[in-house]
Amino acid sequence: MLVTLKYGTTDSIDRHCSDNPTDIVAGNQHWGHTTSRDLYHWQNQPIAIYPGAEGEGIFSGSAVIDVNNTSGFFPNQTNGVVALYTLHTPTEETQDVAYSTDGGYTFTKYANNPVISINSTQFRDPKVIWYPATQRWVMVVAYAQEFYECPNLVPIPMLSNVSIENPLHPSNIASTDMYLMQISINPGAPLGGSVAQYFPGVFNGTHFAPVDQAARLNDFGKDNYAGQFFYGVPSTSPQISIAWASNWQYSQVVPTGELEGFRSAMTLPRYNVLANITRGDYALVSLPYDLSPLYTTPTSIANSSSLANSSLLYDYSTTVPSGALTFNMTIASIPSTNATGTANFTFLSSVTGESIRGGFYLGGDAPFFLNRGYIRGFDNPFFTDKFSVNNLVSKDTQTFRLQVVIDRSIIEVFIENGIRSATNTFFAEGELDTLIISSAGLSPGVQVSADVYGLERYVVIQLAQVRSFRMLTWM
């Protein structure tokens, strides 16, 4: 669960997350708290909400800013924070309320909790939004299906054209009357375990009507689950989300170092909009939130504008201490028929020979693949190693665009301005320290370019000694 708080002319972004302060696996759930001013550099804060008794857990939920004091908790302020969360006990899950007068740092539990109780053990993850047309708060809650978790309902803008170079420019917003319903699933993902799916549609204050019955997946990788949207982002702007980068099939057993003090990580924060695309009608377009605060240099550390049937090799073992990189690759002037060739990338360990590989095949539906099977630090029968998705070349531009972001144990890829994305964790025995971008067999006239940037580590500072961070959803 996330909430954006504004203090005067300075924005402080608060993230409350489901947190076990006593172990690095799920259990003994509290609401942890971190703050940031750029969504990348996070400061850990004291625990925000504690369980009240043995066996209780503070599970998933959401928080809002009660500007007009509709709750009655804040007679003398306009920035009071109300948290709605699931109180889990062995016999029931109820929806409870707590409120904060200091911007979300400390909370007081409502004296008349629970506010909703239906005598169910599968009733959780309240998401609350303000619906201006009726001047009411609206809540969606998962109920009666053990494999549905963490529902999200948010207003979301619609793009005019997703194929332009800067699709998120305000002039490209076509409409703002669409809503997005996101539901996380566990188990039941096509690749096994957990996944998130979404439904575009319209909302009238009481009923959500999807545009169709298709189930669209947020991610074609395996490690993007239970994403949550920040409260307070204007409905006319791209909505901002962040998710848990793991899968319930193996989240409790993936490796972690003795000095790390944590086992899970978050995805990149992302901008989100809707767009109409060929064959798919509506699609959720996701792109990384502005990465520039993490750049190690103001300009690229490696680049080439002539990569057609050629390659770029960059050793970053000494130039990027964090081991984190991002690169953009553009493939232009692709023939509309009979296109041939490949454009690939490899992140390689020069010490162990391990690698992460991905790339395009330009013929047919131009499939993109991602392969983590050459990494040897974690062996698990459910740790799927190969992923792929089809892509159609834009008729307007005859161009493919790819953005890749990698840290020491997670890779995220964004294809064709974020129409498709994948998130995969990996656990290498040796540090990846070399990037190879190459293409071969391309049709005459095809152009390939790339630029590479070093990144600082995406960090939370002053972590507790032992911590299992995850977004506010738990099963």
Side-chain angles (χ1 to χ4, degrees), residues 195-311:
V195 76
Q197 63 180 0
Y198 66 92
F199 302 87
V202 294
F203 181 61
N204 65 3
T206 58
H207 293 79
F208 173 79
V211 296
D212 54 35
Q213 299 303 309
R216 299 166 172 87
L217 298 183
N218 290 46
D219 199 285
F220 70 90
K222 195 161 179 177
D223 296 319
N224 184 327
Y225 180 63
Q228 293 277 4
F229 290 84
F230 283 86
Y231 178 80
V233 179
S235 61
T236 55
S237 299
Q239 297 300 292
I240 301 170
S241 68
I242 197 169
W244 181 44
S246 194
N247 189 296
W248 272 116
Q249 282 192 320
Y250 42 76
S251 62
Q252 306 278 61
V253 295
V254 294
T256 184
E258 293 182 3
L259 301 180
E260 296 287 356
F262 65 92
R263 175 166 268 130
S264 294
M266 311 308 297
T267 66
L268 292 167
R270 298 184 181 187
Y271 291 115
N272 299 273
V273 292
L274 282 176
N276 283 114
I277 62 170
T278 305
R279 283 195 187 177
D281 197 10
Y282 291 96
L284 178 64
V285 175
S286 296
L287 285 168
Y289 191 80
D290 179 18
L291 285 165
S292 60
L294 298 180
Y295 286 172
T296 57
T297 58
T299 57
S300 60
I301 56 177
N303 63 80
S304 175
S305 59
S306 55
L307 277 175
N309 298 318
S310 183
S311 62

Side-chain angles (χ1 to χ4, degrees), residues 261-467:
F262 65 92
R263 175 166 268 130
S264 294
M266 311 308 297
T267 66
L268 292 167
R270 298 184 181 187
Y271 291 115
N272 299 273
V273 292
L274 282 176
N276 283 114
I277 62 170
T278 305
R279 283 195 187 177
D281 197 10
Y282 291 96
L284 178 64
V285 175
S286 296
L287 285 168
Y289 191 80
D290 179 18
L291 285 165
S292 60
L294 298 180
Y295 286 172
T296 57
T297 58
T299 57
S300 60
I301 56 177
N303 63 80
S304 175
S305 59
S306 55
L307 277 175
N309 298 318
S310 183
S311 62
L312 179 156
L313 185 151
Y314 182 69
D315 178 349
Y316 57 93
S317 59
T318 59
T319 57
V320 185
S322 68
L325 290 178
T326 182
F327 76 82
N328 299 285
M329 180 168 64
T330 301
I331 310 170
S333 302
I334 302 171
S336 57
T337 59
N338 300 319
T340 62
T342 62
N344 305 315
F345 67 87
T346 300
F347 289 96
L348 175 70
S349 170
S350 62
V351 176
T352 65
E354 296 169 287
S355 65
I356 294 279
R357 306 177 185 183
F360 292 101
Y361 289 88
L362 296 187
D365 277 353
F368 175 89
F369 75 93
L370 189 61
N371 188 347
R372 63 182 176 184
Y374 296 96
I375 297 292
R376 300 191 296 269
F378 178 58
D379 183 25
N380 184 284
F382 305 114
F383 200 64
T384 312
D385 57 8
K386 297 178 180 66
F387 309 85
S388 64
V389 67
N390 289 341
N391 305 273
L392 292 180
V393 178
S394 168
K395 294 180 179 179
D396 298 330
T397 63
Q398 296 302 121
T399 298
F400 273 143
R401 297 182 179 91
L402 172 68
Q403 182 175 9
V404 177
V405 184
I406 192 169
D407 205 337
R408 293 194 177 187
S409 61
I410 183 171
I411 185 169
E412 299 183 53
V413 300
F414 303 88
I415 303 170
E416 196 51 15
N417 281 344
I419 290 176
R420 296 168 186 86
S421 59
T423 308
N424 282 327
T425 55
F426 60 91
F427 305 94
E429 293 179 345
E431 293 185 7
L432 306 185
D433 56 19
T434 304
L435 169 63
I436 304 169
I437 303 174
S438 62
S439 65
L442 296 176
S443 304
V446 174
Q447 303 170 6
V448 182
S449 61
D451 57 306
V452 184
Y453 289 84
L455 300 175
E456 299 175 10
R457 183 68 61 86
Y458 173 15
V459 295
V460 178
I461 58 176
Q462 293 187 3
L463 282 170
Q465 289 184 344
V466 179
R467 192 164 292 270

Side-chain angles (χ1 to χ4, degrees), residues 155-161 167 169-178 200 235-238 272-277 281-283:
I156 193 163
M158 187 85 180
L159 295 186
S160 296
N161 186 352
H169 192 277
S171 63
N172 196 38
I173 301 297
S175 67
T176 58
D177 57 356
M178 296 291 290
S235 61
T236 55
S237 299
N272 299 273
V273 292
L274 282 176
N276 283 114
I277 62 170
D281 197 10
Y282 291 96

Side-chain angles (χ1 to χ4, degrees), residues 3-5 10-15 33-45 105 230 269 289 458-459:
V3 55
T4 301
L5 306 179
T10 302
D11 288 352
S12 174
I13 305 164
D14 291 48
R15 182 187 71 179
H33 185 202
T34 55
T35 56
S36 175
R37 299 196 184 280
D38 62 10
L39 289 175
Y40 289 111
H41 299 87
W42 293 90
Q43 175 77 45
N44 197 54
Q45 304 294 345
Y105 287 84
F230 283 86
Y289 191 80
Y458 173 15
V459 295

